[in-house]
Amino acid sequence: MRLCAWYLYGEKHRGYALNPVANFHLQNGSVLWRINWMGDTSPRGIGASCGMMVNYRYFLEETASNSALYLASKQVRASQQVLALVAQFQQNSKL
């Protein structure tokens, strides 16, 4: 889950999220909200994402500012759960 959090939050292509689904939601003003262990146990889900599923949350009053922040300065808004996983990844990573 830590690696997944880092992939969605920290891995970039030209400054934007490497994952196309993450990039779509973040451009539209969402918050990277939650990573669900074994959220998709279908054969396709296991093969594509090791069964992990991600929730993006839209706070209607913040979507315009979140979108502008992401598009202008490439900053990803994320929940405390995701940020904690990112911090754990960074502490333990040898990258």
Side-chain angles (χ1 to χ4, degrees), residues 46-76:
I46 297 293
S49 62
C50 299
M52 285 186 252
M53 184 179 282
V54 178
N55 296 114
Y56 296 91
R57 186 165 180 189
Y58 289 85
F59 294 97
L60 296 181
E61 64 280 355
E62 297 175 11
T63 56
S65 60
N66 288 349
S67 177
L69 182 69
Y70 181 68
L71 293 171
S73 61
K74 300 169 179 81
Q75 292 182 28
V76 174

Side-chain angles (χ1 to χ4, degrees), residues 4-47:
C4 180
W6 176 254
Y7 169 68
L8 296 170
Y9 182 84
E11 289 299 319
K12 309 286 182 159
H13 175 69
R14 295 185 180 162
Y16 296 107
L18 184 61
N19 181 274
V21 174
N23 194 49
F24 169 82
H25 286 289
L26 295 168
Q27 284 183 10
N28 287 309
S30 73
V31 175
L32 181 54
W33 191 250
R34 183 172 52 212
I35 299 172
N36 304 290
W37 178 253
M38 299 308 282
D40 184 356
T41 58
S42 70
R44 183 170 186 250
I46 297 293

